PDB file of all heavy atoms in Angstrom:
ATOM      1  N   ARG A 233     -24.588   6.206  -7.433  1.00 45.00           N
ATOM      2  CA  ARG A 233     -24.358   7.608  -7.103  1.00 45.00           C
ATOM      3  C   ARG A 233     -23.279   8.245  -7.972  1.00 45.00           C
ATOM      4  O   ARG A 233     -23.155   9.450  -8.012  1.00 45.00           O
ATOM      5  CB  ARG A 233     -23.940   7.743  -5.628  1.00 45.00           C
ATOM      6  CG  ARG A 233     -24.971   7.247  -4.652  1.00 45.00           C
ATOM      7  CD  ARG A 233     -24.661   7.776  -3.266  1.00 45.00           C
ATOM      8  NE  ARG A 233     -23.448   7.209  -2.711  1.00 45.00           N
ATOM      9  CZ  ARG A 233     -23.432   6.253  -1.802  1.00 45.00           C
ATOM     10  NH1 ARG A 233     -24.558   5.716  -1.382  1.00 45.00           N
ATOM     11  NH2 ARG A 233     -22.286   5.814  -1.297  1.00 45.00           N
ATOM     12  N   ASP A 234     -22.478   7.404  -8.630  1.00 45.00           N
ATOM     13  CA  ASP A 234     -21.320   7.939  -9.342  1.00 45.00           C
ATOM     14  C   ASP A 234     -21.327   7.519 -10.806  1.00 45.00           C
ATOM     15  O   ASP A 234     -21.692   6.412 -11.134  1.00 45.00           O
ATOM     16  CB  ASP A 234     -20.007   7.456  -8.707  1.00 45.00           C
ATOM     17  CG  ASP A 234     -19.894   7.912  -7.266  1.00 45.00           C
ATOM     18  OD1 ASP A 234     -20.352   9.026  -6.972  1.00 45.00           O
ATOM     19  OD2 ASP A 234     -19.370   7.141  -6.445  1.00 45.00           O
ATOM     20  N   THR A 235     -20.912   8.412 -11.677  1.00 39.00           N
ATOM     21  CA  THR A 235     -20.682   8.077 -13.069  1.00 39.00           C
ATOM     22  C   THR A 235     -19.203   7.807 -13.247  1.00 39.00           C
ATOM     23  O   THR A 235     -18.381   8.665 -12.974  1.00 39.00           O
ATOM     24  CB  THR A 235     -21.113   9.234 -13.984  1.00 39.00           C
ATOM     25  OG1 THR A 235     -22.510   9.457 -13.807  1.00 39.00           O
ATOM     26  CG2 THR A 235     -20.825   8.904 -15.435  1.00 39.00           C
ATOM     27  N   LEU A 236     -18.855   6.609 -13.722  1.00 34.00           N
ATOM     28  CA  LEU A 236     -17.454   6.210 -13.776  1.00 34.00           C
ATOM     29  C   LEU A 236     -16.860   6.552 -15.129  1.00 34.00           C
ATOM     30  O   LEU A 236     -17.528   6.492 -16.167  1.00 34.00           O
ATOM     31  CB  LEU A 236     -17.334   4.704 -13.531  1.00 34.00           C
ATOM     32  CG  LEU A 236     -17.979   4.197 -12.240  1.00 34.00           C
ATOM     33  CD1 LEU A 236     -17.710   2.717 -12.086  1.00 34.00           C
ATOM     34  CD2 LEU A 236     -17.422   4.950 -11.060  1.00 34.00           C
ATOM     35  N   THR A 237     -15.576   6.876 -15.122  1.00 35.00           N
ATOM     36  CA  THR A 237     -14.838   7.072 -16.353  1.00 35.00           C
ATOM     37  C   THR A 237     -13.632   6.163 -16.347  1.00 35.00           C
ATOM     38  O   THR A 237     -13.076   5.858 -15.305  1.00 35.00           O
ATOM     39  CB  THR A 237     -14.351   8.531 -16.492  1.00 35.00           C
ATOM     40  OG1 THR A 237     -13.539   8.845 -15.359  1.00 35.00           O
ATOM     41  CG2 THR A 237     -15.523   9.496 -16.532  1.00 35.00           C
ATOM     42  N   ASP A 238     -13.234   5.719 -17.532  1.00 37.00           N
ATOM     43  CA  ASP A 238     -12.116   4.779 -17.637  1.00 37.00           C
ATOM     44  C   ASP A 238     -11.132   5.270 -18.677  1.00 37.00           C
ATOM     45  O   ASP A 238     -10.616   4.510 -19.481  1.00 37.00           O
ATOM     46  CB  ASP A 238     -12.641   3.390 -18.007  1.00 37.00           C
ATOM     47  CG  ASP A 238     -11.562   2.329 -17.898  1.00 37.00           C
ATOM     48  OD1 ASP A 238     -10.576   2.590 -17.197  1.00 37.00           O
ATOM     49  OD2 ASP A 238     -11.698   1.268 -18.521  1.00 37.00           O
ATOM     50  N   ASP A 239     -10.920   6.591 -18.683  1.00 40.00           N
ATOM     51  CA  ASP A 239     -10.019   7.131 -19.694  1.00 40.00           C
ATOM     52  C   ASP A 239      -8.590   7.087 -19.197  1.00 40.00           C
ATOM     53  O   ASP A 239      -8.307   7.009 -18.015  1.00 40.00           O
ATOM     54  CB  ASP A 239     -10.409   8.572 -20.036  1.00 40.00           C
ATOM     55  CG  ASP A 239     -10.363   9.459 -18.807  1.00 40.00           C
ATOM     56  OD1 ASP A 239      -9.276   9.991 -18.547  1.00 40.00           O
ATOM     57  OD2 ASP A 239     -11.389   9.590 -18.119  1.00 40.00           O
ATOM     58  N   THR A 240      -7.683   7.111 -20.147  1.00 38.00           N
ATOM     59  CA  THR A 240      -6.255   7.078 -19.813  1.00 38.00           C
ATOM     60  C   THR A 240      -5.573   8.371 -20.246  1.00 38.00           C
ATOM     61  O   THR A 240      -4.355   8.410 -20.375  1.00 38.00           O
ATOM     62  CB  THR A 240      -5.586   5.875 -20.498  1.00 38.00           C
ATOM     63  OG1 THR A 240      -5.801   5.956 -21.909  1.00 38.00           O
ATOM     64  CG2 THR A 240      -6.164   4.579 -19.980  1.00 38.00           C
ATOM     65  N   GLU A 241      -6.342   9.402 -20.499  1.00 46.00           N
ATOM     66  CA  GLU A 241      -5.769  10.656 -20.943  1.00 46.00           C
ATOM     67  C   GLU A 241      -5.131  11.394 -19.779  1.00 46.00           C
ATOM     68  O   GLU A 241      -5.467  11.168 -18.619  1.00 46.00           O
ATOM     69  CB  GLU A 241      -6.864  11.530 -21.558  1.00 46.00           C
ATOM     70  CG  GLU A 241      -7.542  10.885 -22.764  1.00 46.00           C
ATOM     71  CD  GLU A 241      -8.772  11.662 -23.192  1.00 46.00           C
ATOM     72  OE1 GLU A 241      -9.543  12.061 -22.306  1.00 46.00           O
ATOM     73  OE2 GLU A 241      -8.940  11.868 -24.391  1.00 46.00           O
ATOM     74  N   SER A 242      -4.224  12.275 -20.099  1.00 45.00           N
ATOM     75  CA  SER A 242      -3.626  13.110 -19.071  1.00 45.00           C
ATOM     76  C   SER A 242      -4.643  14.138 -18.608  1.00 45.00           C
ATOM     77  O   SER A 242      -5.713  14.307 -19.194  1.00 45.00           O
ATOM     78  CB  SER A 242      -2.385  13.817 -19.621  1.00 45.00           C
ATOM     79  OG  SER A 242      -2.774  14.750 -20.613  1.00 45.00           O
ATOM     80  N   TYR A 243      -4.300  14.826 -17.527  1.00 41.00           N
ATOM     81  CA  TYR A 243      -5.215  15.820 -16.986  1.00 41.00           C
ATOM     82  C   TYR A 243      -5.581  16.881 -18.024  1.00 41.00           C
ATOM     83  O   TYR A 243      -6.742  17.183 -18.253  1.00 41.00           O
ATOM     84  CB  TYR A 243      -4.584  16.505 -15.775  1.00 41.00           C
ATOM     85  CG  TYR A 243      -4.267  15.595 -14.630  1.00 41.00           C
ATOM     86  CD1 TYR A 243      -3.022  15.623 -14.019  1.00 41.00           C
ATOM     87  CD2 TYR A 243      -5.200  14.691 -14.163  1.00 41.00           C
ATOM     88  CE1 TYR A 243      -2.723  14.794 -12.955  1.00 41.00           C
ATOM     89  CE2 TYR A 243      -4.921  13.850 -13.104  1.00 41.00           C
ATOM     90  CZ  TYR A 243      -3.683  13.906 -12.502  1.00 41.00           C
ATOM     91  OH  TYR A 243      -3.396  13.079 -11.460  1.00 41.00           O
ATOM     92  N   THR A 244      -4.574  17.438 -18.659  1.00 43.00           N
ATOM     93  CA  THR A 244      -4.819  18.521 -19.599  1.00 43.00           C
ATOM     94  C   THR A 244      -5.632  18.044 -20.790  1.00 43.00           C
ATOM     95  O   THR A 244      -6.556  18.718 -21.245  1.00 43.00           O
ATOM     96  CB  THR A 244      -3.485  19.110 -20.078  1.00 43.00           C
ATOM     97  OG1 THR A 244      -2.723  19.520 -18.935  1.00 43.00           O
ATOM     98  CG2 THR A 244      -3.716  20.297 -20.994  1.00 43.00           C
ATOM     99  N   GLU A 245      -5.317  16.850 -21.323  1.00 50.00           N
ATOM    100  CA  GLU A 245      -6.064  16.319 -22.457  1.00 50.00           C
ATOM    101  C   GLU A 245      -7.521  16.090 -22.093  1.00 50.00           C
ATOM    102  O   GLU A 245      -8.433  16.385 -22.869  1.00 50.00           O
ATOM    103  CB  GLU A 245      -5.431  15.016 -22.937  1.00 50.00           C
ATOM    104  CG  GLU A 245      -4.068  15.204 -23.582  1.00 50.00           C
ATOM    105  CD  GLU A 245      -3.376  13.881 -23.848  1.00 50.00           C
ATOM    106  OE1 GLU A 245      -3.767  12.883 -23.222  1.00 50.00           O
ATOM    107  OE2 GLU A 245      -2.466  13.848 -24.681  1.00 50.00           O
ATOM    108  N   ARG A 246      -7.742  15.560 -20.893  1.00 46.00           N
ATOM    109  CA  ARG A 246      -9.119  15.278 -20.477  1.00 46.00           C
ATOM    110  C   ARG A 246      -9.922  16.567 -20.351  1.00 46.00           C
ATOM    111  O   ARG A 246     -11.070  16.649 -20.797  1.00 46.00           O
ATOM    112  CB  ARG A 246      -9.082  14.538 -19.133  1.00 46.00           C
ATOM    113  CG  ARG A 246     -10.421  14.391 -18.465  1.00 46.00           C
ATOM    114  CD  ARG A 246     -10.437  13.190 -17.552  1.00 46.00           C
ATOM    115  NE  ARG A 246      -9.264  13.119 -16.695  1.00 46.00           N
ATOM    116  CZ  ARG A 246      -9.181  13.727 -15.524  1.00 46.00           C
ATOM    117  NH1 ARG A 246     -10.184  14.447 -15.090  1.00 46.00           N
ATOM    118  NH2 ARG A 246      -8.093  13.607 -14.786  1.00 46.00           N
ATOM    119  N   VAL A 247      -9.319  17.585 -19.740  1.00 42.00           N
ATOM    120  CA  VAL A 247     -10.043  18.847 -19.553  1.00 42.00           C
ATOM    121  C   VAL A 247     -10.223  19.579 -20.865  1.00 42.00           C
ATOM    122  O   VAL A 247     -11.264  20.190 -21.108  1.00 42.00           O
ATOM    123  CB  VAL A 247      -9.303  19.718 -18.523  1.00 42.00           C
ATOM    124  CG1 VAL A 247      -9.947  21.086 -18.428  1.00 42.00           C
ATOM    125  CG2 VAL A 247      -9.322  19.037 -17.170  1.00 42.00           C
ATOM    126  N   ASN A 248      -9.244  19.510 -21.745  1.00 46.00           N
ATOM    127  CA  ASN A 248      -9.388  20.142 -23.047  1.00 46.00           C
ATOM    128  C   ASN A 248     -10.582  19.569 -23.802  1.00 46.00           C
ATOM    129  O   ASN A 248     -11.333  20.292 -24.465  1.00 46.00           O
ATOM    130  CB  ASN A 248      -8.117  19.946 -23.873  1.00 46.00           C
ATOM    131  CG  ASN A 248      -7.067  20.987 -23.535  1.00 46.00           C
ATOM    132  OD1 ASN A 248      -7.382  22.029 -22.982  1.00 46.00           O
ATOM    133  ND2 ASN A 248      -5.820  20.699 -23.847  1.00 46.00           N
ATOM    134  N   LYS A 249     -10.748  18.247 -23.719  1.00 49.00           N
ATOM    135  CA  LYS A 249     -11.870  17.621 -24.404  1.00 49.00           C
ATOM    136  C   LYS A 249     -13.194  18.094 -23.814  1.00 49.00           C
ATOM    137  O   LYS A 249     -14.140  18.401 -24.529  1.00 49.00           O
ATOM    138  CB  LYS A 249     -11.767  16.100 -24.314  1.00 49.00           C
ATOM    139  CG  LYS A 249     -12.881  15.379 -25.071  1.00 49.00           C
ATOM    140  CD  LYS A 249     -12.573  13.914 -25.275  1.00 49.00           C
ATOM    141  CE  LYS A 249     -12.539  13.176 -23.964  1.00 49.00           C
ATOM    142  NZ  LYS A 249     -12.342  11.720 -24.161  1.00 49.00           N
ATOM    143  N   ASP A 250     -13.263  18.184 -22.480  1.00 45.00           N
ATOM    144  CA  ASP A 250     -14.478  18.680 -21.843  1.00 45.00           C
ATOM    145  C   ASP A 250     -14.762  20.122 -22.252  1.00 45.00           C
ATOM    146  O   ASP A 250     -15.914  20.504 -22.494  1.00 45.00           O
ATOM    147  CB  ASP A 250     -14.346  18.600 -20.312  1.00 45.00           C
ATOM    148  CG  ASP A 250     -14.437  17.183 -19.808  1.00 45.00           C
ATOM    149  OD1 ASP A 250     -14.900  16.326 -20.576  1.00 45.00           O
ATOM    150  OD2 ASP A 250     -14.028  16.940 -18.656  1.00 45.00           O
ATOM    151  N   THR A 251     -13.709  20.921 -22.325  1.00 42.00           N
ATOM    152  CA  THR A 251     -13.882  22.320 -22.700  1.00 42.00           C
ATOM    153  C   THR A 251     -14.410  22.437 -24.124  1.00 42.00           C
ATOM    154  O   THR A 251     -15.305  23.231 -24.403  1.00 42.00           O
ATOM    155  CB  THR A 251     -12.543  23.075 -22.569  1.00 42.00           C
ATOM    156  OG1 THR A 251     -12.054  22.912 -21.238  1.00 42.00           O
ATOM    157  CG2 THR A 251     -12.723  24.552 -22.869  1.00 42.00           C
ATOM    158  N   ARG A 252     -13.861  21.630 -25.039  1.00 44.00           N
ATOM    159  CA  ARG A 252     -14.336  21.666 -26.423  1.00 44.00           C
ATOM    160  C   ARG A 252     -15.802  21.261 -26.510  1.00 44.00           C
ATOM    161  O   ARG A 252     -16.593  21.870 -27.232  1.00 44.00           O
ATOM    162  CB  ARG A 252     -13.482  20.758 -27.291  1.00 44.00           C
ATOM    163  CG  ARG A 252     -12.075  21.274 -27.546  1.00 44.00           C
ATOM    164  CD  ARG A 252     -11.432  20.518 -28.696  1.00 44.00           C
ATOM    165  NE  ARG A 252     -11.353  19.094 -28.431  1.00 44.00           N
ATOM    166  CZ  ARG A 252     -10.346  18.507 -27.793  1.00 44.00           C
ATOM    167  NH1 ARG A 252      -9.325  19.245 -27.367  1.00 44.00           N
ATOM    168  NH2 ARG A 252     -10.333  17.214 -27.593  1.00 44.00           N
ATOM    169  N   LEU A 253     -16.156  20.211 -25.780  1.00 47.00           N
ATOM    170  CA  LEU A 253     -17.552  19.758 -25.811  1.00 47.00           C
ATOM    171  C   LEU A 253     -18.496  20.850 -25.333  1.00 47.00           C
ATOM    172  O   LEU A 253     -19.572  21.053 -25.897  1.00 47.00           O
ATOM    173  CB  LEU A 253     -17.723  18.509 -24.933  1.00 47.00           C
ATOM    174  CG  LEU A 253     -17.154  17.217 -25.478  1.00 47.00           C
ATOM    175  CD1 LEU A 253     -17.302  16.100 -24.446  1.00 47.00           C
ATOM    176  CD2 LEU A 253     -17.843  16.812 -26.766  1.00 47.00           C
TER     177      LEU A 253
END
Side-chain angles (χ1 to χ4, degrees):
R233 299 196 292 258
D234 299 324
T235 299
L236 305 184
T237 58
D238 190 20
D239 59 88
T240 57
E241 300 170 316
S242 67
Y243 299 131
T244 304
E245 291 171 341
R246 170 154 47 87
V247 174
N248 276 341
K249 183 165 66 176
D250 287 344
T251 304
R252 289 195 301 272
L253 287 175

